[in-house]
Amino acid sequence: MKLRDDPSACPSVWRCLSCPPAELRLDLVLSSGQSFRWWESSPGAWTGVLGGRVWTLRQDGDRLWYTVYGEEDEHNEEERDGCLPEAAKLDAAETDRILRDYFQLDVGLSALYRAWGAADPLFRKVAKDFPGVRVLRQDPVECLFSFICTSNNHISRITAMIERLCQAFGRRLCCLDARPFHAFPSLSALTGTDAEARLRALGFGYRAKFVSGSARAIAEGLGPEGLFQLRTAPYAEARRVLCALPGVGAKVADCVCLLSLDKAEAVPVDTHVWHIARQRYGVALGGKSLTPRAYQEIVCHHTGVHPLSTGDFFRGLWGPRAGWAQAVSTPLSGTLAPHPSHAHPIISPLQVLFCADLRKGQKPASSQHQV
């Protein structure tokens, strides 16, 4: 099947949603390290897997264009220009709904930017250069296992690991210009007795034990439905359940809460967030590095007495969608070098706001910064 990267080439299989750049910037969001399934297939076009289908997305002014590819067994006959037969087209209302849900387009981002800027001069100073950065609403199973793989890792390597995981355990969806695409593996596919050994053979290292162990723990415990139901649970409860899984610490749990479980208040904390809290916001922390204890406890210089979690500090500053505000810096992590063949700095999935490098543009980084 041919890759479609421009609506003008085959308009009958493209649709569009109204979406100005101030509400969504594909280039900043899809390369940021929130998800690892998207690829810039041509300049301005992003192809990836969402909801068990392969999509190509493109922005043109105030319009978000998309096309969805059928599975291989759905289109044995294909038109010469790469357009699918009418019978293979998907329900337009359903695909619109999937895309709006994934990008959470019902959340007015411009109003949030104004509120965050009013509350925080540092945000206001930096964020004007990076509009349209919003948090994705991902499948909880895919998000969880993707972020288990992020420990001491960088975007290009994580992306390659997730690709190998999907190829080995996921269902093949289609092949575009000789490039195969696979669905994310089901829980049952990751619970086999040989799953850990196969993951080690794929280069997952110590993470293989955590992926297979968490898959078994979920399958034998709350189940995939229970994981989805954490969307309605309080943030603290969802976090507690996730932290009980093998290989899931506080930071991974907060990433999963923010990016798939509707916990917009979750603020993942890494060494970058920790240093910015100290250096830019006048927050005093015990110790000289980000330890598990430092993750949980923070003391405000302004009072000197109130122990808070780091997330509580930023929630107090940015409000109930503090995790969204922090994600405004995320695009810098991915757009430094979005192709897997380029070197990436070692980063956390959600990079911290207001690093000094924010104003240096989107150039490849030469140094390696540990998570």
Side-chain angles (χ1 to χ4, degrees):
M1 191 176 359
K2 292 178 62 177
L3 179 69
R4 303 189 289 268
D5 59 6
D6 191 328
S8 63
C10 189
S12 65
V13 293
W14 286 81
R15 284 183 56 79
C16 69
L17 299 174
S18 176
C19 187
E23 291 296 320
L24 172 66
R25 280 277 301 274
L26 283 181
D27 58 330
L28 299 183
V29 174
L30 296 183
S31 65
S32 66
Q34 293 189 49
S35 170
F36 306 99
R37 304 301 310 280
W38 294 96
W39 159 58
E40 192 172 15
S41 47
S42 67
W46 294 85
T47 300
V49 180
L50 168 62
R53 294 280 183 172
V54 181
W55 305 58
T56 294
L57 313 178
R58 176 181 284 280
Q59 278 186 288
D60 177 15
D62 288 345
R63 292 178 293 181
L64 171 61
W65 288 93
Y66 73 86
T67 184
V68 186
Y69 303 87
E71 295 194 30
E72 288 175 325
D73 59 356
E74 293 180 348
H75 53 83
N76 293 325
E77 297 183 3
E78 190 172 339
E79 297 179 8
R80 290 184 180 181
D81 63 359
C83 297
L84 294 180
E86 190 72 27
K89 296 177 184 177
L90 303 178
D91 179 74
E94 178 62 10
T95 53
D96 282 2
R97 185 199 64 77
I98 291 171
L99 207 59
R100 293 188 65 85
D101 181 74
Y102 184 65
F103 287 111
Q104 306 197 70
L105 295 181
D106 291 339
V107 177
L109 191 61
S110 298
L112 289 174
Y113 267 60
R114 290 193 295 271
W116 295 328
D120 183 355
L122 287 175
F123 183 98
R124 184 170 62 252
K125 180 179 180 180
V126 174
K128 61 184 176 63
D129 294 327
F130 302 97
V133 178
R134 57 176 54 244
V135 168
L136 301 174
R137 189 178 194 240
Q138 301 179 55
D139 174 271
V141 172
E142 178 173 339
C143 187
L144 170 63
F145 289 101
S146 295
F147 278 87
I148 287 176
C149 297
T150 62
S151 175
N152 296 313
N153 221 337
H154 52 78
I155 287 181
S156 60
R157 187 162 181 260
I158 297 165
T159 301
M161 289 173 68
I162 299 303
E163 182 69 13
R164 294 195 299 272
L165 177 73
C166 295
Q167 289 178 356
F169 294 91
R171 175 172 53 90
R172 179 165 164 148
L173 299 173
C174 67
C175 191
L176 301 180
D177 292 347
R179 175 171 178 154
F181 287 81
H182 295 75
F184 197 85
S186 64
L187 269 182
S188 59
L190 297 174
T191 56
T193 56
D194 63 342
E196 181 178 342
R198 291 174 64 190
L199 288 166
R200 288 188 181 278
L202 292 172
F204 277 63
Y206 67 88
R207 302 173 193 88
K209 176 178 63 177
F210 296 146
V211 171
S212 61
S214 285
R216 286 195 302 272
I218 294 171
E220 297 167 1
L222 72 164
E225 299 82 5
L227 193 60
F228 273 87
Q229 288 170 5
L230 291 178
R231 285 179 168 176
T232 61
Y235 165 48
E237 172 65 12
R239 195 170 183 267
R240 182 192 65 77
V241 171
L242 292 172
C243 285
L245 296 171
V248 179
K251 183 176 71 177
V252 169
D254 278 337
C255 288
V256 177
C257 281
L258 175 63
L259 299 173
S260 70
L261 297 180
D262 299 340
K263 310 298 182 255
E265 70 271 37
V267 178
V269 178
D270 62 7
T271 55
H272 306 285
V273 177
W274 186 79
H275 284 301
I276 292 303
R278 290 167 59 97
Q279 297 168 10
R280 299 296 182 94
Y281 288 94
V283 176
L285 294 163
K288 297 181 179 180
S289 62
L290 180 60
T291 63
R293 180 177 178 180
Y295 192 105
Q296 298 295 338
E297 295 184 357
I298 190 169
V299 178
C300 293
H301 265 313
H302 305 297
T303 63
V305 295
H306 298 299
L308 303 167
S309 75
T310 308
D312 283 341
F313 173 80
F314 287 112
R315 280 185 286 275
L317 179 65
W318 293 324
R321 290 192 180 271
W324 283 54
Q326 188 201 26
V328 170
S329 65
T330 302
L332 295 175
S333 308
T335 53
L336 294 174
H339 194 275
S341 65
H342 296 176
H344 288 270
I346 295 178
I347 57 172
S348 72
L350 296 178
Q351 199 55 291
V352 67
L353 284 168
F354 313 128
C355 292
D357 290 340
L358 283 178
R359 291 194 170 277
K360 295 181 181 178
Q362 300 170 353
K363 299 178 181 180
S366 58
S367 61
Q368 295 281 303
H369 300 290
Q370 282 292 77
V371 174

